[in-house]
Amino acid sequence: MMAELTHFDEHGASRMVDTSAKPETLREARASGLVRMQPATLALIRDRGVAKGDVLEVARLAGIMAAKRTGELIPLCHPLPLTSVHVTFAWEADDLLRIEATVRVLARTGVEMEALTAVSVAALTVYDMCKAIVRGMAGERIRLEEKRGGRSGTFRRDD
């Protein structure tokens, strides 16, 4: 059975979900994504050899800033007073960078979109900072890995 689409009313009009009656609880979401690139590009990033600066630190800040602005970017998301945004990077292979974001809030609604937005914007920032080197990079598999809190409880991706 599929859950009802909460962003539409009974007439099909868009709406922001009313969370007034929900209790404030601690909520956390973790998302990830990949950026595939040439091994030489990845080595430049890893060795801090890109002329524009430290790619990962700029991407980390961009991801944090994006998470904080998600309510302005996605029309029906609630603006949330985030309590923590953590963006990390890992070298998955000689041509693959993994980005992960964990976001926390004490609120009436979850932070899945904030975590996904942080990963997406961090990946776009890596692309932007390295596009002069090579334009063949690709963002891949941006997805929710885990979420905790709220009425629906815990979700953890199995694969």
Side-chain angles (χ1 to χ4, degrees):
M1 182 175 146
M2 193 164 163
E4 77 175 61
L5 297 174
T6 58
H7 286 101
F8 297 100
D9 68 15
E10 63 277 359
H11 304 291
S14 300
R15 69 172 179 177
M16 188 174 189
V17 175
D18 184 354
T19 62
S20 304
K22 290 179 159 185
E24 286 189 346
T25 60
L26 180 61
R27 296 157 186 267
E28 180 176 293
R30 184 171 53 88
S32 69
L34 303 170
V35 180
R36 190 171 301 279
M37 63 191 80
Q38 294 295 319
T41 306
L42 190 138
L44 276 174
I45 293 170
R46 186 187 57 231
D47 298 339
R48 295 180 172 87
V50 176
K52 289 185 179 183
D54 188 331
V55 172
L56 299 186
E57 286 312 310
V58 174
R60 186 185 327 274
L61 287 174
I64 292 168
M65 291 174 64
K68 292 169 27 175
R69 308 282 302 262
T70 300
E72 295 172 34
L73 298 170
I74 299 175
L76 301 177
C77 280
H78 294 80
L80 295 174
L82 303 181
T83 57
S84 175
V85 180
H86 191 66
V87 179
T88 61
F89 304 94
W91 314 112
E92 292 284 303
D94 68 351
D95 66 342
L96 200 59
L97 173 66
R98 178 181 173 85
I99 302 170
E100 194 166 280
T102 303
V103 181
R104 295 180 82 187
V105 69
L106 183 61
R108 292 181 167 96
T109 188
V111 286
E112 297 91 344
M113 295 309 302
E114 287 73 9
L116 289 161
T117 300
V119 168
S120 299
V121 171
L124 289 170
T125 301
V126 170
Y127 185 95
D128 180 57
M129 291 194 68
C130 299
K131 68 182 185 277
I133 301 165
V134 62
R135 295 189 191 273
M137 293 172 285
E140 301 176 358
R141 218 173 71 191
I142 294 171
R143 62 194 202 165
L144 180 66
E145 297 291 345
E146 180 177 13
K147 76 93 162 166
R148 282 183 244 152
R151 183 176 41 205
S152 63
T154 299
F155 163 84
R156 187 168 290 117
R157 184 171 292 284
D158 292 332
D159 58 337

